[in-house]
Amino acid sequence: ERLQRLAKRTDDEEMRTFKQELGEAIADPSQLPKDALFWAAQYDDGSDAAFLARLWRDLYPDEAVPTA
């Protein structure tokens, strides 16, 4: 819950930038270096796209996941 509150802070430039860049990565996961996200996050979602979509849903549950 604390992380969700932090992620939703519209008065924080860093969090606005994070949200924008997360949306861009979701829309085009090919822009990420190969395996960089997996090694950084050690996720088991099966793909970068699935992990990023889950992260979005976890942080912004009331908003639709961005699409390309």
Side-chain angles (χ1 to χ4, degrees):
E1 290 177 5
R2 289 178 63 197
L3 186 55
Q4 285 178 337
R5 284 193 303 273
L6 176 63
K8 291 179 182 180
R9 289 189 60 174
T10 58
D11 63 334
D12 184 322
E13 179 67 27
E14 186 175 15
M15 294 316 302
R16 286 194 310 266
T17 300
F18 170 80
K19 185 176 181 180
Q20 176 186 345
E21 290 177 355
L22 176 58
E24 291 170 4
I26 291 170
D28 183 12
S30 70
Q31 66 183 316
L32 300 169
K34 183 172 174 40
D35 295 327
L37 185 59
F38 173 77
W39 290 112
Q42 294 291 305
Y43 61 82
D44 61 357
D45 297 73
S47 71
D48 287 351
F51 170 75
L52 292 169
R54 179 174 58 84
L55 179 60
W56 182 276
R57 287 188 305 271
D58 288 348
L59 294 175
Y60 310 104
D62 299 330
E63 298 182 36
V65 176
T67 58

